Amino acid sequence: MSVLVYAENSNGKFKKSSFEVVSYGYSIAQQMGVPCVAISIGDVTNDELARLSQYGASKIVSVNNDQMKAFVNQAYGSVIAEAAKVEESTVVVLSASFSGKGLAPRVAVKLEAGYVDGAVSLPDISAGFTVRKGAFSGKAFAEVSLSSAVKVIALMPNAYKVIENAQTPNITAFSPVFNNNDFKTMIKEIVRAADKVSLPEAEIVVSGGRGLKGPENWGMVEELANLLGAATACSKPVSDAHWRPHSEHVGQTGIAVSPNLYIAIGISGAIQHLAGVSSSKVIVVINKDPEAPFFKAADYGIVGDAFEVIPKLIEAVKEFKSVNA
Amino acid sequence: MKILVCISNVPDTTTKINFSDDAKSFVTAGVQFIINPYDEIALTRALELTEAQGGTVTVIHIGDASSEPTIRKALAIGATDAVRINALPRDAYFVAKQIAAYAKDQAFDIIITGRESIDYNGSQVASMIGELLDLPSVSIVKVMNVEGTIVTLEREIEGGKEVINCPLPLVVSATEGMAEARIPNMRGIMSARTKPLTTIEAVEVPTLLQYVKYDKPAARSQVKLVAADDVKGLVDLLHIEAKAI
């Protein structure tokens, strides 16, 4: 038996969320008394693969051939399910990343496994196998009891800490038989804003609302975000008005985030927005309306005009960074 | 073009969520149900495509008779016909199995769902249908165009996007950006009453999991207010007390 973890790479490099899933998978494996095996798909060097063993993977299975260089969820799903059979895995862990969300359900169907997406903590295996996940778009949590022989879990980014558990790297190549029907989708282009922090994975998020009055005023939001190494985000009215792209919309019908720090500027805090940020560890609200509902859901607040407060905050953060760099 | 749109019946986005005293079930009393907002985006894009290129849009829903108003709304927005699988949606696997069983022999060109339902937030059904029917699938798609038999899709990825080509047929899950939801007009509402709505009994699906308990996020303690002229004080609190920077 084993716990199998899929470590997603981006251009041959593992992401923080990959180390999160390895750390998480290792903890489950420890509880079950079985090894944690990591699988990587795509063109990744042995040095990079070995990094997975720092977080508990005692075996690393690498699938690296031309057909598998680009992400195709159907083919990747087949390969992960095949590896799970070879490694006799009873638990398979993936990241609930954009790709993971499209991939994990395929793995689950292939293995006839119960599947929990967006897990927020370790499963409780003291009696059965129960996993806690977000529900009602951040307004609640649900506990799901899995009764299938194999279980598949997609772990929410930022929900589980990266923990060092160094193992000796043991890397083996894996060459499953491919089904040509699995390769129908073809990536034409990947566009990445090189200097942007990815919103679902960001540890700090700076978010703006209608209080900022127009897209031309986002310069200070971006400046503050850059200083903090944060991702930028916005409320629904802002993306609906096309001031900012939909991919920045945080809330019940947008992206749910769980950063260490969420700074909301000029956002009143409608119930739909609060749902999307409820898993944030620390929330700061800056709003000129002292009655804004967001203050009731915040840890720290400033009642004040964003156009006066944010430039001062930028200066204060610069000073802080110069002292604490 | 023949498109199948999968719609879910979910609590309105303004709903305050409450659970029964034993925490085992969601209290639906007094809750207004709507078409899942992402499914409405999917439906709108399906209509735009068939209006431009010809074809039909069938909506499918898994639920009991109480969700018929949601199905009629989809018909009022413009769907050609509707199918209701007469069963309570146990989980995503159950739902995907029902849809796959129905769609298997229907030769749909596109099967489309929302990226996730706003109640159980699974993001599972589209990929599961793809797997069950051995079709390609692309999840969390913000742009979808069809030219001949080739579909071009833009999918969200961390910090960017991926542009993908795929031949028909395929399964897609839609997110914001694909279309702007439509408000049904009077003619649509009138015609929805007489559009075909077929009810089908569910197929059997093995139970792999069970939702056993719910709870709500712990309330935050009282907000600590910092004076607007003491921004440095906020930075210190975030560093020393909250350890967030």
Side-chain angles (χ1 to χ4, degrees):
Chain A
M1 291 213 304
S2 69
V3 171
L4 182 70
V5 173
Y6 169 57
E8 190 181 325
N9 73 80
S10 172
N11 287 332
K13 297 280 173 225
F14 292 117
K15 310 193 285 183
K16 190 183 115 214
S17 60
S18 307
F19 301 130
E20 287 170 1
V21 292
V22 177
S23 305
Y24 182 85
Y26 177 74
S27 293
I28 299 174
Q30 284 290 95
Q31 285 184 52
M32 293 171 57
V34 300
C36 172
V37 179
I39 178 169
S40 160
I41 307 176
D43 201 356
V44 183
T45 63
N46 273 4
D47 280 353
E48 184 69 11
L49 288 169
R51 294 180 71 197
L52 300 175
S53 58
Q54 286 172 27
Y55 306 97
S58 51
K59 179 175 177 185
I60 298 151
V61 175
S62 172
V63 182
N64 184 359
N65 71 17
D66 288 345
Q67 255 184 310
M68 301 300 283
K69 277 204 164 70
F71 178 71
V72 179
N73 69 16
Q74 208 169 352
Y76 277 42
S78 298
V79 167
I80 295 168
E82 198 50 45
K85 285 176 193 161
V86 172
E87 299 297 332
E88 297 178 337
S89 310
T90 51
V91 178
V92 181
V93 183
L94 303 90
S95 169
S97 62
F98 286 112
S99 295
K101 283 180 180 182
L103 180 58
R106 286 196 175 261
V107 176
V109 169
K110 278 196 194 288
L111 299 172
E112 234 194 23
Y115 167 46
V116 177
D117 68 285
V120 295
S121 56
L122 282 174
D124 177 356
I125 60 169
S126 58
F129 195 103
T130 308
V131 186
R132 186 170 167 82
K133 64 159 269 166
F136 295 92
S137 300
K139 291 177 183 174
F141 292 100
E143 286 181 14
V144 186
S145 166
L146 299 174
S147 50
S148 49
V150 180
K151 287 101 175 159
V152 177
I153 303 172
L155 176 67
M156 186 83 174
N158 274 342
Y160 194 77
K161 281 230 170 317
V162 170
I163 306 165
E164 297 246 0
N165 274 299
Q167 310 283 318
T168 312
N170 166 17
I171 301 168
T172 57
F174 180 50
S175 309
V177 180
F178 298 113
N179 172 1
N180 284 332
N181 201 34
D182 276 358
F183 291 91
K184 288 210 172 126
T185 61
M186 187 91 76
I187 297 176
K188 274 176 59 191
E189 192 189 1
I190 294 177
V191 184
R192 269 203 189 91
D195 55 338
K196 279 202 82 135
V197 178
S198 149
L199 178 57
E201 298 172 324
E203 293 190 17
I204 303 179
V205 174
V206 181
S207 189
R210 255 185 312 196
L212 288 171
K213 295 197 165 73
E216 66 280 8
N217 297 323
W218 243 261
M220 58 184 187
V221 174
E222 280 170 344
E223 190 180 354
L224 181 59
N226 282 340
L227 280 170
L228 292 167
T232 51
C234 68
S235 64
K236 186 168 192 295
V238 166
S239 65
D240 281 351
H242 301 294
W243 293 0
R244 302 295 294 177
H246 285 300
S247 56
E248 286 196 2
H249 164 201
V250 160
Q252 192 173 8
T253 56
I255 289 177
V257 293
S258 44
N260 277 328
L261 175 61
Y262 186 83
I263 302 176
I265 304 164
I267 301 176
S268 61
I271 184 169
Q272 296 97 326
H273 188 80
L274 297 183
V277 304
S278 63
S279 299
S280 307
K281 284 168 200 80
V282 178
I283 295 179
V284 173
V285 168
I286 297 164
N287 202 301
K288 67 178 178 188
D289 176 9
E291 301 299 319
F294 216 151
F295 283 116
K296 290 202 170 69
D299 301 290
Y300 301 99
I302 290 182
V303 179
D305 186 344
F307 293 94
E308 288 165 22
V309 174
I310 302 307
K312 283 188 207 158
L313 184 56
I314 288 170
E315 289 314 311
V317 171
K318 273 185 190 162
E319 201 187 312
F320 167 77
K321 289 277 172 187
S322 68
V323 178
N324 291 277
Chain B
M1 201 168 2
K2 233 179 121 179
I3 304 180
L4 181 66
V5 181
C6 313
I7 61 168
S8 176
N9 190 36
V10 298
D12 180 83
T13 58
T14 57
T15 308
K16 288 206 168 79
I17 303 298
N18 287 303
F19 300 106
S20 57
D21 291 340
D22 63 2
K24 286 184 175 163
S25 57
F26 168 55
V27 177
T28 57
V31 172
Q32 172 79 33
F33 280 82
I34 57 166
I35 302 180
N36 182 44
Y38 294 115
D39 303 349
E40 211 171 333
I41 292 170
L43 172 62
T44 312
R45 187 62 191 144
L47 293 169
E48 288 170 358
L49 287 171
T50 53
E51 280 159 12
Q53 307 185 13
T56 57
V57 174
T58 300
V59 293
I60 186 166
H61 171 73
I62 287 79
D64 63 13
S66 71
S67 47
E68 287 204 0
T70 290
I71 302 173
R72 289 286 174 204
K73 167 115 191 264
L75 291 169
I77 292 169
T80 319
D81 57 3
V83 176
R84 178 170 69 81
I85 309 291
N86 188 32
L88 290 173
R90 224 165 53 202
D91 54 48
Y93 184 59
F94 179 85
V95 168
K97 279 271 203 183
Q98 304 304 330
I99 296 168
Y102 169 76
K104 189 162 50 90
D105 308 315
Q106 302 272 344
F108 287 104
D109 297 297
I110 300 173
I111 301 175
I112 185 164
T113 73
R115 65 172 276 175
E116 64 190 69
S117 67
I118 62 165
D119 48 6
Y120 291 90
N121 307 103
S123 317
Q124 304 182 20
V125 173
S127 288
M128 285 184 170
I129 297 169
E131 191 59 37
L132 293 166
L133 297 177
D134 197 19
L135 290 175
S137 64
V138 183
S139 292
I140 317 188
V141 170
K142 45 189 187 179
V143 177
M144 174 172 71
N145 290 303
V146 182
E147 255 180 73
T149 60
I150 298 293
V151 188
T152 305
L153 311 115
E154 273 184 38
R155 163 177 98 85
E156 189 103 9
I157 56 171
E158 284 75 15
K161 64 176 182 183
E162 201 174 85
V163 185
I164 298 167
N165 273 358
C166 184
L168 295 171
L170 86 166
V171 189
V172 171
S173 85
T175 191
E176 287 189 306
M178 189 185 272
E180 303 275 345
R182 290 179 184 179
I183 297 160
N185 58 28
M186 193 44 82
R187 215 175 98 227
I189 294 167
M190 297 299 284
S191 70
R193 291 185 198 163
T194 53
K195 283 181 177 173
L197 193 172
T198 316
T199 306
I200 297 175
E201 290 309 312
V203 295
E204 283 203 30
V205 178
T207 301
L208 305 177
L209 57 84
Q210 210 179 351
Y211 281 78
V212 285
K213 224 176 94 194
Y214 299 92
D215 60 290
K216 294 203 272 187
R220 284 174 201 266
S221 49
Q222 179 79 24
V223 60
K224 224 176 236 187
L225 287 178
V226 178
D229 55 7
D230 182 27
V231 176
K232 196 180 167 296
L234 175 67
V235 173
D236 289 343
L237 281 170
L238 290 178
H239 178 58
I240 296 159
E241 189 178 85
K243 296 181 172 52
I245 59 171

